[in-house]
Structures are given as structure tokens and as C-alpha cells.
Amino acid sequence: MHYSRMLLPTLKETPAEAELISHKLMLRAGMIRKLAAGIYSYLPIGYRVIRKIENIIRQEMNSAGAQELLLPVLNPAELWRESGRWELYGAELMRLKDRHGRDFCLGPTHEEVITDLVRREVRSYRDLPLNLYQIQTKLRDEIRPRFGIMRAREFIMKDAYSFDCNDHDAQISYQQMYEAYNRIFERCGLTFRVVEADSGSIGGSFSHEFMILADSGEERIAYCPNADYSANVERALAVLPDSLNSGEAPSVLAPLEAVDTPNIKTVDELCAFLSCAPENLVKTLILKADDQIILALVRGDHELNLIKLKNLLSADQLELADADTVMQITNAPVGFAGPVGMNKYRIIADNAVKNMINFITGANKTDTHYINVNWGRDAVCEYADIRVAQAGDLCPKCAAALNFCKGIEVGHIFKLGAKYSKALGAVFLDEAGRQQTIIMGCYGIGVGRTMAAAIEQNYDQNGIIWPVAIAPYHVLIMPLDVDNEQVMQLAEDICQQLESLKIECLLDDRDIRPGIKFKDADLIGIPLRLTIGKRDLKKGLAEIKIRKSGKSDKISPDNVVSYIKNALTLL
RNA sequence: CGGGGCGUAGCGCAGCCUGGCAGCGCAUCGGUUUUGGGAACCGAGGGUCGGAGGUUCAAAUCCUCUCGCCCCGACCA
């Protein structure tokens, strides 16, 4: 491809709208352009990368026995009402009406549509198992789209759905996808970690997320240094060392005492005021779970995990109570809540709170806290793991201290069970002629997000450094003296030879200053750069530079093709 | 939805407080000289100052409303 004929508008300056490094570089490298908040066009070079990623996904999905199909983006509301998600999915579902006033939505995911298809077509256990997938644009009315295509309202996703006769087979399907996903991200050349995850509103019994490791990631990962365990902190079990968790029975229970704490509301303020450590405090959070009031207690230095609590309560909705509700329940503004005298409400304390003695809580009275609160005597509650795992917690399998890092969620696989097949009546007849419900799994990969994550992981000051497998081109051929016949002839020649070997080339035939070409080359990040200038060519030399290492070699033009062939296999 | 910020040439911004010819840098087009890491000089084009209404002799600037975008939070496969 000739650069001069391409739509490849690089930018010297970074557009003000971009914050994240991948977003800035994609805009500057002419890969994407914004149409509206969270809605982007993919320009030719960006779309080439998308296609590379899609094709790796296709190959691995196909070889795992999955079949590609394409489902409608526009979905009738009827189907979503049948699964219950017309109501449950909430404002994130893009809804619209047709001219007759009938309700539709734009598919944010396709469990309903695929289950509908399968329930119509599958009759017998002989038709199963099935794994069907598509690569398609999804739409979600994100509350706050951000970070360019990382969290967009319209985005390309691969979604696959497996259908099995029973739980055992479904487990096999899940395992196949687990392995296929590992191969996909390995082939993309990315550093990633597979973590246990919460299955969220998709539902189902368990799930794994595939995380590209990057400091800019929105997800926090807890992992064991011995590789026995890794989980999204949303899910990671919070296990304290035994010494702290089940200490000896308290010897002295001091008497409960109310103290004045004028205008002291936060943990930090309270610690400073009473000169104590956050570990001596118990935070009491007032929550609404489907209109039921819940008091959740965590140690002062811990963070409540809403997802764990929501799962524990089997609640559809769980949110922090507003200030008015807190006032009504505790007779005090936010900041003075505590468990003492609140036993008409359900009180759930984190496990780490269980063995605390003589601790400090709010007194449910303005500007007042209790000190020397003790379980049994002053309040009772139930205990569960309801906090976010943090530094100091242990691996639940081998008791090593957990490490933490950040990641970008690019893949998520779920074992769904019968959630959708039951709601929609997707059944089959087994060998004995009995009607059974199909067991499902679903498996997603954010294609655009994978592209962005790849950049987050592979860049330097000068621009993108593409892994070869997903690079828009393999080689950038850069003749410096475009009006020199020999130089151009050689460039064209090598380009043709490489292309005939299926090595993809971009030939920068623009008649501009070399400096601009070099800058653009680094920005766009094609793995290999071949520079041909009349100066070196007189000496019978051309330069090959590796974008990633910055290393370059000057070699005879005759050897360029074999050199490149070899270099690409090593990268 | 709450909090903060921003909308002026394709991009980055100044001008707004204190009303008075709409500017700068980059990019674009033409020319001359340059030519291995974002050149120099000469010349040119490009704007409903996000939109609507109001105040005023006069509005990019002041007032009201509105739309869009970005960031933080809540939210979220």
C-alpha cells in the first residue's frame, strides 16, 4: 500500500479530549476519530488492527469447534421481556420504538436472541453440544463513556454461546473456551492474567475474566505469588492472617462509653481525634437492598465490597442509603452510625470484625461515638466476607501474602447454567425421551478494547509499538528520496517481493522531509522499518530498524527480503 | 444523576475579568531555497466565536436559556 494514497491523518499535537495514552496515540496515529461521546469511526489503519484481532479470534474459535453466525442488532422488546431483562437491564439498554410504536432495543449482548434461535431449532440431544459465536457491534448506553474506545457506547465484541445437554458437558465447553481464550491473547502478543470474577448481571454460577496487565487498567486484581489463586478484587476472598483473625479470647471488656466527637465524621478525623488506629474502628454503612435496610460493618481500614454483599443477600438492587434515610434510621447525619441498639435491622459484619474487642463505632447520635463496644454485650450481628481484599490478606489456597495489580478486562467467560434456557424454554429430548433444559455458557471478548489494551502495554515516548501479530502492517518501507529513480525502484521492488511472501508492507512514498516520515513511522509503530536513501544506496546499503528494540542494521539491498523474513519470525 | 472544567479556523490555544477591526502557533494551498529525526523565507485561503434569546449605539466578551464535549464520583459483562 502506498502511504500517499491512504487516509492516514497523523497528528503532531494531542487532541485535548484524550486522557489515556492509548486514546491519545490512536487519535494521533490516525486510527480512530470520534463521532460523538463513546462513538468512534475506525480509520483504515485502525480497522486493519481490528481485523487482525478478529481473525485471530476467528481461527481459535473455529478450531475450538465454534461456528460463526450473525445475529440482529435490533431486538424486539418481547424477547427481553420474556427473559426479564427489559426491566432488569436498566438504563444501559438502548431502547427505541418503530413507527408503529412497538418497543425495540439495540443489542448490548445476545443471550436472548441466541437462546430464541436455539430453542426453535434444537430438538434432540443429538443436536448438542453447540457453540455459536459472532463478531459484531454492540450498543450500551453507558452512564459515562470514557477513555476512547476502551469504554464506548458502541463497540465491537466477539460473543459466543455454548449449549450442552448437562452440567458435565457444559463444563467441558467452558474449559474449551478457557483454553481458546488463552491462545487468543497469547497469539495477540499480550501479557495477561486469568482471574476469578463475579458474574454480575449476566448471571450464572462462576466466571473468569481475562485481564491485560496495565497500570491504567480499571480493574484491580489480587493474585498469589505462587500462582495458586488470582481473582478480581470484586470477588477475591478476604482472608486475614490467623493471628489477627482468631486471637485469644479478650481478657478485659472495658465498659461501654459514649464520647463527644463534635463534627468528626470520617475515619481519619476520628483516629486523629481519639488518637487511635483505623484498625480499632468499625465503620457502619447503611444500605438499601431492594427496599430493605441493611447495616454493613467493616473495620476502619477496610472497604465494603458491594458485590459480595449483594450476592450474599441475593438482592437485585443494593445501594448506599441517601442522607435523609441515614438521618431517619440513625437519628444523626452521615458519619455517626453504629450497631448498638439497631437490632431491629439486619446487621452484617465482615469476618474481620468478629474478634475485635473494645472497638469504636458511631453512637447513632449527632457528634457522638461509642468506645469500648463489644460483641454480645452491646450488639449482635451475623458475620460474612463482605469486604474488598487488600494488602495484608492471604491467598485462600496457600496462605501466601496476596499481591495486587491492575488490569484491563478484555475477555469474560461465564457458565450460565439454565438461567436463559429456562426463562425462554430452550429444551431438548434426552436419550430416554425426557424433556431437559439446555445448559448454557457465554463468552465475550472486547475487540476494540483489546486493541486499546495492546497499546497501553506496548508504547514508548515516540508512539505505538505493535506486536507483530496485530500490527496494521509488518514492514514500513521508507524511501527518503522519492524523486530518485533508483531509490524508488528499489523500494517498489522490495515491496512487491515481500507482498508476494504475504508480508504486509506500507510504502511511505510521500514527497516530504525525512524527519516527518521518521516521526510518523515511530508513531504508527509498525514493527520493522526499511529505510532507503540515496546516500546509503550509493554505498550499497539500506537500513532496517526494529521499532521495539530500536536496533538497526545496514545491509545490502539484496539481503533485505531474507533479513525481514527472518526478523519477523524472531519478533 | 451529583461535583468540576471546556466549547473561538482542521489541531493546539490566546482574547472574555474591564464590551469597540477576531488573533497566535501548527496544519493546508502557491513560490524560492532546503532535504537521514516534525526546515527557512515570501505570499494566499480558511471563522454563523457551539446554538437561541436578551441588554447595549456596539457582544466572542455582560445576562438568561439550551446543546455538546472532557474529568471526578455514583453506575456497569
Side-chain angles (χ1 to χ4, degrees):
Chain A
M1 184 68 203
H2 288 74
Y3 196 132
S4 63
R5 282 186 246 140
M6 258 191 108
L7 178 64
L8 180 34
T10 57
L11 302 171
K12 190 145 81 173
E13 287 174 287
T14 306
E17 69 193 48
E19 183 87 354
L20 207 62
I21 191 77
S22 59
H23 188 195
K24 289 180 184 173
L25 288 174
M26 277 189 276
L27 288 168
R28 287 194 51 211
M31 297 173 65
I32 59 168
R33 287 294 184 262
K34 186 176 70 181
L35 182 62
I39 302 175
Y40 287 84
S41 302
Y42 296 97
L43 276 52
I45 205 163
Y47 194 53
R48 283 184 75 95
V49 176
I50 292 285
R51 295 296 295 249
K52 291 278 177 96
I53 296 169
E54 285 181 359
N55 283 334
I56 290 172
I57 293 171
R58 274 197 183 91
Q59 286 167 14
E60 293 301 334
M61 290 301 292
N62 291 347
S63 71
Q67 302 168 62
E68 187 170 7
L69 47 56
L70 188 59
L71 303 167
V73 172
L74 194 58
N75 294 188
E78 208 38 54
L79 204 46
W80 286 74
R81 292 205 175 96
E82 213 177 330
S83 73
R85 287 208 292 184
W86 185 258
E87 286 76 28
L88 278 180
Y89 214 97
E92 211 179 328
L93 191 61
M94 286 271 193
R95 297 160 208 255
L96 64 157
K97 285 182 192 294
D98 72 5
R99 63 167 71 191
H100 306 291
R102 287 186 289 243
D103 288 318
F104 286 83
C105 66
L106 300 174
T109 175
H110 279 77
E111 284 78 9
E112 281 80 359
V113 177
I114 193 81
T115 306
D116 175 67
L117 181 70
V118 166
R119 74 177 164 183
R120 291 167 190 276
E121 310 305 332
V122 168
R123 295 276 173 274
S124 155
Y125 70 94
R126 291 180 219 271
D127 301 326
L128 299 174
L130 270 181
N131 187 324
L132 304 167
Y133 77 98
Q134 61 173 343
I135 297 175
Q136 184 204 45
T137 296
K138 304 289 187 199
L139 293 116
R140 290 183 195 176
D141 197 353
E142 284 280 347
I143 296 177
R144 181 149 92 87
R146 59 182 127 175
F147 305 141
I149 62 168
M150 194 75 92
R151 176 175 293 251
R153 291 196 288 177
E154 179 177 316
F155 57 98
I156 300 170
M157 175 167 155
K158 187 282 302 181
D159 50 323
Y161 306 88
S162 65
F163 301 86
D164 284 284
C165 292
N166 55 53
D167 224 57
H168 174 262
D169 290 357
Q171 188 60 42
I172 294 170
S173 294
Y174 186 90
Q175 188 62 28
Q176 281 169 345
M177 285 297 105
Y178 184 96
E179 285 160 17
Y181 272 42
N182 273 289
R183 286 194 297 271
I184 287 165
F185 295 115
E186 270 163 30
R187 279 187 59 188
C188 287
L190 302 172
T191 306
F192 64 99
R193 191 182 290 279
V194 190
V195 305
E196 289 183 18
D198 184 75
S199 47
S201 71
I202 284 277
S205 37
F206 61 90
S207 78
H208 286 91
E209 286 168 336
F210 287 73
M211 299 282 199
I212 306 281
L213 302 184
D215 290 336
S216 58
E218 288 188 274
E219 305 292 334
R220 282 185 295 158
I221 301 165
Y223 67 98
C224 165
N226 304 324
D228 286 330
Y229 183 74
S230 61
N232 192 314
V233 291
E234 288 177 348
R235 178 183 170 94
L237 300 171
V239 182
L240 280 173
D242 277 351
S243 57
L244 291 175
N245 217 13
S246 56
E248 291 187 7
S251 42
V252 184
L253 298 188
L256 182 69
E257 195 183 323
V259 295
D260 284 344
T261 50
N263 216 19
I264 305 268
K265 292 176 181 174
T266 68
V267 168
D268 286 346
E269 288 165 0
L270 194 58
C271 286
F273 187 78
L274 297 173
S275 35
C276 65
E279 290 89 330
N280 303 123
L281 265 60
V282 170
K283 283 190 287 197
T284 303
L285 298 120
I286 317 287
L287 299 114
K288 262 195 209 167
D290 300 336
D291 298 326
Q292 185 198 359
I293 295 295
I294 302 282
L295 272 61
L297 277 56
V298 294
R299 213 169 71 184
D301 59 328
H302 288 159
E303 187 186 341
L304 176 68
N305 186 326
L306 279 170
I307 291 168
K308 284 182 180 175
L309 185 56
K310 189 172 168 182
N311 289 341
L312 178 76
L313 297 168
S314 302
D316 286 331
Q317 293 285 327
L318 179 68
E319 54 185 13
L320 282 170
D322 54 52
D324 289 348
T325 310
V326 172
M327 179 61 91
Q328 213 179 335
I329 291 183
T330 68
N331 296 314
V334 175
F336 301 100
V340 179
M342 299 299 276
N343 275 352
K344 61 180 160 177
Y345 301 109
R346 187 168 176 193
I347 306 177
I348 302 170
D350 180 65
N351 288 330
V353 171
K354 190 171 183 176
N355 292 309
M356 290 174 70
I357 60 161
N358 298 331
F359 55 86
I360 300 158
T361 72
N364 300 316
K365 186 178 165 193
T366 306
D367 293 345
T368 311
H369 282 79
Y370 282 128
I371 61 172
N372 300 324
V373 180
N374 285 287
W375 293 118
R377 185 190 69 189
D378 305 319
V380 292
C381 69
E382 49 192 296
Y383 302 98
D385 177 4
I386 58 167
R387 69 183 173 89
V388 178
Q390 63 184 41
D393 286 324
L394 304 181
C395 169
K397 293 194 179 153
C398 74
L402 285 178
N403 290 346
F404 292 83
C405 66
K406 286 181 167 182
I408 299 163
E409 178 194 348
V410 290
H412 201 157
I413 60 179
F414 301 82
K415 183 157 174 259
L416 286 177
K419 178 170 171 160
Y420 295 94
S421 45
K422 201 170 167 189
L424 299 180
V427 296
F428 65 97
L429 292 181
D430 69 13
E431 289 160 281
R434 286 175 307 213
Q435 184 170 293
Q436 304 271 8
T437 301
I438 296 175
I439 305 299
M440 292 174 58
C442 77
Y443 317 93
I445 291 178
V447 177
R449 188 181 279 188
T450 300
M451 173 163 85
I455 295 171
E456 289 296 324
Q457 215 172 57
N458 299 284
Y459 70 93
D460 66 13
Q461 282 189 328
N462 297 314
I464 303 168
I465 305 172
W466 288 112
V468 174
I470 61 174
Y473 293 92
H474 299 127
V475 183
L476 177 67
I477 301 173
M478 213 166 73
L480 296 178
D481 311 285
V482 178
D483 43 11
N484 181 301
E485 216 168 289
Q486 272 179 307
V487 167
M488 273 315 281
Q489 191 54 53
L490 180 63
E492 296 280 3
D493 228 49
I494 291 173
C495 185
Q496 273 188 12
Q497 287 181 57
L498 290 172
E499 300 244 303
S500 71
L501 295 168
K502 301 255 191 259
I503 294 171
E504 297 157 6
C505 300
L506 178 62
L507 201 165
D508 190 351
D509 59 335
R510 294 176 298 169
D511 186 10
I512 51 171
R513 302 179 65 77
I516 299 173
K517 292 191 176 193
F518 286 124
K519 289 290 182 191
D520 277 342
D522 286 346
L523 178 61
I524 294 164
I526 294 169
L528 290 177
R529 188 187 80 195
L530 170 66
T531 310
I532 302 170
K534 66 181 174 194
R535 197 184 68 193
D536 277 351
L537 196 56
K538 271 184 196 157
K539 294 183 256 175
L541 293 172
E543 184 204 56
I544 296 181
K545 187 168 181 182
I546 295 165
R547 175 68 180 88
K548 192 181 174 76
S549 65
K551 284 182 184 150
S552 64
D553 266 327
K554 292 200 174 176
I555 61 172
S556 157
D558 297 338
N559 301 328
V560 162
V561 172
S562 61
Y563 185 105
I564 286 174
K565 240 165 64 179
N566 188 44
L568 283 174
T569 62
L570 296 175
L571 277 174

